[in-house]
Structure formats: structure tokens, C-alpha cells
Amino acid sequence: MDSRRLYQLWKSLSDAHHPWNKFGCGNKDTLLKGNVEDGSESRQRVMDWWQNHYCASRMKVTVVGTESLKVLGDLAYQNFSKVPNRSLGPLPVTTSPPWSTSSGPDLWFVKTVKDTQRLEISFPIPDQDSLYEHKPSSYISHLVGHEGPGSIFNLLHEQGLATTLSCGLHSAGRGVSLMDIDITLTKLGLGQYEKVLSAIFHYITLLPSALEEPYHFEELRKMAQISFANAEKYAPDAYAKTISQSMNGLYKRDHLISRGVKSWTFNKAHIEDIIRCMTFDKARIFVAAKSFDSMNVQSNWEKEKWYGTEYTKQSLNRDILSILTPEDRALLYLPERNPLLPESLDVGSRSGIDPLKSPVNLHQRPLSTLWYKKDDQFWVPKGSITVQIHSPSTSGTHRQWVQTKVYSQLVMDGLTAKGYNATLAGLDYSVYSSLNGVFVTVSGYNDKLLAALDMVLEQVQALQVRNDRFDVVMEKMKRAYDNVYLKQSGEVSDTFLGDCTSERLYSPPFTRRELDYIDVESVRVHGGRLFERIHLTVLIHGNVTHDTAVSWCDRIERRFAAARAVPIPASACHSRRSLLLPSGCNFVYTAAVPNANEANCAVSYLCQVGDVADVRVRALVSLFSSMVSEPFFSMMRTKEQLGYNVSSSIWNETASGGVRFRIQSTRHPDFLESRIDFFIDWYLDVLKAMESAEFDEYRRGAVEKKRKKLVNLAEEQTRFWNYIENGYLDFERAENDAREIEKLTLSDIIGFVETYLHPSSPGRRKLSIRLVSQVGQCPGARTSSSISQGVPATLYSQEELVKLRSTMVLSVCATPLISGRPPPVAAF
């Protein structure tokens, strides 16, 4: 929300005649503007654009497929040969910057919608498109955006002034490049924004000395070349898009795929050109926050044309460059060599056996359970280690759950500087918590994977909770929960839906209030108890041998055993559960959209079907969802134009599988729900009239989707871990579902809709969340459904969430499935 508003403000405040000044999205006013100004119709103006600019010589096409090059070429010819070639020549290029840099630095204060504080700096720099073989902008952004010791961010982070910093190249149109620095400030940092600026501009003065140390560039080049050499497959549509973008750039023909990464060369002059542009006088600066009441900011606010963003311009004193103390200056220095860059990239010999479809359970000990899978199909020098730390202290109470979340955030905060080298070396790590425990993940090039895991686990076990870092983390968490509902109302309605059916009502408002009662000492005490009684579930996956995996798990065990951790039985490990709607219910929960300025209402409409462990339930839900997605979107958005945010999807929880419809619109949710009822009734008639050949095509598509091959190591790891964490261990679920879908008939789907989804069904289990906008009157209030209801609606107000939840029953825990066969389950 605020990012789009700020981005448009950057554009609107640029030179009015510069192409970048235009409205980036467009709306009804811009579409119909010509009708008022010169009488031309919108369609005619589109046709004029087509005549003047739609030209084959300005287009690039990439076709990706498994067919031969001849077949792919024929497909391209058949589909694109009729595009007219008007010989228009290359696309126009703009050479002037989007604003003048001759009048000194510009400082703008901007009001945000969310409670957030940001500082953005932008410098016009020479166009970088033709310099891809030297990457001077990447060199600068690497140094300025560094987060390790000596960096700008490390100084600001340690002093509690900022929580994030990024630096990177940004295009303002063909021929126009900008170097942007974006910082998320704390409230303290907002009040000291001049000190933040002083630190940035002082660090920029250090950049020329980096040119005398070639290892900075050499490390960048090495990692880029390793990344390209070991790149994994990804979605073919995204790959085609990437190649076509390269073709539209200035890359040489033999660099279209690699983008020249193999030929990167250090060019001191190009780097110096950028440094000369990154001066105080050439900067444009935004300071953004929800309120500036505590600061001496002028009150003559203006409003941006398109989004109404409030802003004001203020002079910037050159004296800020001397604000930084000598002690602070001494803390700023260029990064040292990275010791975590991968050295061994060997993947061994490729076997000719078929890849395994599931990990192997190597052991189940009192303290740990180890799952392992050697990479046998992607053959990349990468791996991952995932550790789930089960502990009764994680979430026994709401307060414990909140304290665990705070503790996890403090661990990640403490890893910021020491973990940055790992990130640069292609190693990702995370520490997070849920009701099920604390999770530690490390992934990337396996050569230094264990070193990264040791670094993270050491922080997890020996965290020193500092008062100053506690205050920063708590401010960040409180702000996140304050902003949690300041998003699209359709997303919020889904959040409410999750609150209704979750095992525990740890909703965002409740959690936000709990944060006010958490102090630093309570987190210290909680951290000391968190890992006293535990069980570890470990998945080691990728380019790691069996013996190495066992030794790594032993090493993890020894760490916790050395801290006197006591093993707990499996029965003490928390397993996911959910709330199940009773048979024959039609629950309607109505609340106001929490954001008082949000004009859109929303409905999330859920029909629970049955136990997700039942392969037939999954097959029916999957096939129906794949069939209904396009027609629902077409009717509700395209034909009835109810709103932009329209979707239908599978809604799975523990022991519960179902279908969720969602509409976000300026129309009242009473009306929106009546249209969903109408759609289900209409689509039932469509099914009854559907030819068998059409149904067979839908079924074939759903089966193909289930059998779609995993394209990279990360996808395989995610699939394995999902089934380990959810407790089902159903690693071959996709294939089991595909076989079951193949058995389904059109009559099965018709019966499915009549029994579980249609409003007239006396046994359906339905819950809808209706969020009503607080902005004006929404048309369609009190609209009744035209479809007869098998069960009268039971209405619940915003204050009756607990009462609504009390009508449901708690599901059983997930039971592991043996070889894909579900155990007997009771009727649900």
C-alpha cells in the first residue's frame, strides 16, 4: 500500500515533461480523459497507439517447450507471423534525468497510511544497461547495502536507528538509471534521520578506497558465476519471460541466457562515475512516517494527484554531514573477505536408478528423529537442514507463544551482522516459531552448510537478550501487529476465517495486547526454559551423504545434550488440530473492515467437505477447484464486475478439506454472498449439461497438475517437510491423489456439489465471513439469496467470535499414513 503510494509520489514530483512522471497504474479518469479534452473515444486512442507503436521489429518472442526446435519455431511462426512490421526502428530512449540535480538536495516529508518509518534516497546515475559486463552498480549496491561489521546498516542497527537497509539499481525508463537507498527506521531513527543521512554520506566517501582492493569485485563475480553454473530449473513461463527481457536489452546474442556473467570484468572508471553522482547535492530524499508530530516539520502539506499522499518540502542543512561523531565514524569501514564462500562444488557420480519419492527415516531416538534424502535427480551442490525443536514451553499458553515469537525474533536480530556473509555466500537461514515448536532452517551450497548451522544454533541456544535490542524488536513486532489489518479487505476476511477455525484463538489483536505485558526479563527467563525438555525432528536433504547426515544429526543432538536438554516422549509434542464445522450449519460472521479508510467490503465463503486424510475427499476438492476457478473469476469479476480481487481455492487444515470462495468489492457483503450462492447453483446446472468429453479434459488437466514434476531441490524439500511437519508423512500424496482423480466421474462431481456446496443442501458445513466497509453506504445491504437455503443462516456479530467457535468440534490430530493408505476414519 504505502510502497505504491511512495513510488507514485517519486514519479509525480519528477519533471512534468519526463516520461517517468506518468501515472504508473491508470484508472477510469486517465482512460476516459481524452473523451473530455479532445472528444476522441478511448477505443480510438488505443487503435491510434496500435497503429503508431505496435510493430514486430520492436518485439521479442521466446518460446519454451519440450518439443523440437523445428516444432517450436513453427508454433512461433503460426502465432506471430501476422504481427505487422512497420519498420519503426528501435524504441525511443530518454537521456535526461527525471529531475534536476543542480539546485542542491531535495528533502520531502511524506505521510504514510501504515505506522511505519522510512527513509529513501535516490541519485540519478549514468545509464547502466550497456555496462552489464562490468556491473558497476552491483559493486556499489553490494558495498552500500552490506549488513556485516563496518557497514552503514550495522552502525544504524546497533544504535537502534534502523531495522532494514537496501541499496540497488532502479530504472526510470529506457536510458535512465537511479541508485536507490531504502531504509526502514525505528521511531528513534525517525527523530535522528539527519544522523542516518550523515552516516550514509560518510560511508560513500569511503567507496573510492574500495577500488584499491579487488577482492570485493572478485567475490561478487565468483558467486555470480557459481550461481549461474548451478542454476536450477524454474517455471517455464518465468524462464521465457526472463529470456525475452534479455532480448529486449542490450545483451550480446551469446549473453542472452547468462547475461554476461562469465565475462564480468572490473572497470574502475565506471564505478567512479557512479560514486561522483552519489553526492549530497545530487540527492533526492524522502522521509516517510504516519505522523511527524514530535518533529519540527512544516505544516503546509500538499496532496499528490493520484493517491492523495500528503507531502511537504523542506530545506536540508548541509551541516548534517558533520553530525556523525569521530567514534561513530570509526565504526564505518569496508567489508573484509568472506570466509564462507563455497570451495567444493562436487556432486559425485550420477546414479542410473530411479529417484526416491520420499525421505528415509534413519532413526527415532529419545532426543531426535532423523529424516534423510540424498539428491538423486537435480545434481546440484546444495542441501538443506531443517530442525523442528518440539518443546512444551513453546505454546502452552498464549503468553508462552508470544514470548517464543519474541525470542525467535531476537535470535534473527542477533544474526544480522554475523549471518550476512552466509547470505552473500548463497546460504539462507531462518529461525521462527509456531504452535508446533521452534524451527531452524539452513540451506544453500552444502560445502559450508554445517558452519552456517553451527552459527545459527549457537545463537539459538546462547542468546544474550540485550535491553536495547529487545526494545527495537518489540517496536518492530508491535508495529507489525498494528498494521496487520491494513491490507486488502479480502486478505483480512481470509485472516478472520483462519481465526474462526484455528485450534487456538491467538488472533492478531489478542497477540498485540499480549505484547504490552512482555518485558525483557520475562523473555530471558522463558529463553532459559524453552529448550529444557525437547524432541528434535530433523530433515537433511540434498548433496549430503548418508554418513554425513548421521554425523550432522549427532552433532545437533550433542549441542542440546550438552545444555542438559531432557528428551520428551512423542505424546508431549504438539500436533496440529483444527475446528470442524457441525453438519447442517450455515454460519455467517459479520464484522467491520478494521481499516476505517478501506472502501472495499469482502466475503470469504467456506464449505468444509471432509477429512483431508481421505484421498477421495482430496481428489474431489482438487478436481472441483480446478474446474471452477476460471468460471467463478469470469462471472464475478469480468461479467458482473464486482471487484478486482476474486478467487476460489482449496482450503485445507488438519483433518479438514474444503473449498473457499472470496470476493472483494465496494458492494455490500450481503449482496456478494447472494452472488456466490447464485454462482454455485448456476454451475451445478453447467455440470449437469456438461458433455463427457469436456469433463474428461478437466480431469486430465487436474491429473497432469498433480503429476507435474518437481523442478528443483527446494520444491522437493518443501514437499517433504510439509508432510513431516503436518504429521501425515504422506510423501506420495500427489500421485495417490492423481490416481484417485482418474477414477472420478462427472456424476461424482455433481453429487459433490449437491451434497457439500449447494445452498439447498441440508447437510453442508458452511461458514462465511462478511466484512463491511466503514466508508459510506455499500450498495446491496440486506440482499437475500435467491437460492433456497437448506439450513437457515445463523448470524454472529463481531463480538461473538468465541461463541461461534464454541459451536465447532476440535479435530483429531494428524495420523501418519502408511504407504499412502489412510487409516480408517470416522464419518465427518
Side-chain angles (χ1 to χ4, degrees), residues 616 619-620 623 695 699 740-746 748:
R616 183 170 175 81
L620 286 165
L623 178 54
F695 173 77
R699 183 175 55 193
E740 191 67 24
I741 291 172
E742 288 177 325
K743 302 175 186 176
L744 296 178
T745 66
L746 181 56
D748 292 330

Side-chain angles (χ1 to χ4, degrees), residues 568-584:
I568 60 172
S571 59
C573 297
H574 180 271
S575 297
R576 289 181 177 177
R577 304 171 81 179
S578 64
L579 295 182
L580 307 178
L581 295 167
S583 179

Side-chain angles (χ1 to χ4, degrees), residues 588-742:
V588 177
Y589 176 76
T590 304
V593 175
N595 181 3
N597 298 315
E598 173 59 64
N600 284 295
C601 304
V603 165
S604 289
Y605 181 116
L606 170 67
C607 293
Q608 288 185 347
V609 174
D611 194 335
V612 73
D614 188 333
V615 66
R616 183 170 175 81
V617 167
R618 297 198 306 269
L620 286 165
V621 170
S622 295
L623 178 54
F624 174 79
S625 295
S626 66
M627 295 175 68
V628 81
S629 178
E630 189 281 329
F632 182 71
F633 184 89
S634 176
M635 175 179 284
M636 297 296 144
R637 179 182 169 183
T638 306
K639 294 177 181 177
E640 299 194 12
Q641 298 188 7
L642 295 181
Y644 183 81
N645 191 331
V646 173
S647 67
S648 61
S649 67
I650 297 170
W651 187 277
N652 282 346
E653 298 173 283
T654 301
S656 170
V659 179
R660 189 274 283 142
F661 300 94
R662 186 177 79 186
I663 303 175
Q664 176 180 301
S665 172
T666 55
R667 307 292 289 272
H668 196 280
D670 294 352
F671 175 78
L672 300 179
E673 180 158 337
S674 74
R675 299 314 298 159
I676 296 175
D677 283 348
F678 174 83
F679 172 82
I680 295 172
D681 182 68
W682 169 83
Y683 194 67
L684 180 59
D685 290 338
V686 170
L687 290 171
K688 290 178 178 178
M690 185 176 288
E691 297 291 337
S692 59
E694 183 180 0
F695 173 77
D696 290 345
E697 190 65 21
Y698 277 120
R699 183 175 55 193
R700 183 186 62 79
V703 169
E704 287 182 355
K705 186 175 181 180
K706 288 291 182 182
R707 287 179 171 153
K708 177 179 175 291
K709 289 186 177 180
L710 298 170
V711 299
N712 56 50
L713 198 66
E715 281 192 6
E716 185 176 65
Q717 189 275 343
T718 299
R719 174 178 288 184
F720 290 163
W721 184 253
N722 283 343
Y723 293 137
I724 292 171
E725 187 190 354
N726 68 24
Y728 287 112
L729 307 180
D730 190 10
F731 300 111
E732 297 183 34
R733 174 176 288 189
E735 177 57 31
N736 296 331
D737 289 357
R739 287 197 292 263
E740 191 67 24
I741 291 172
E742 288 177 325

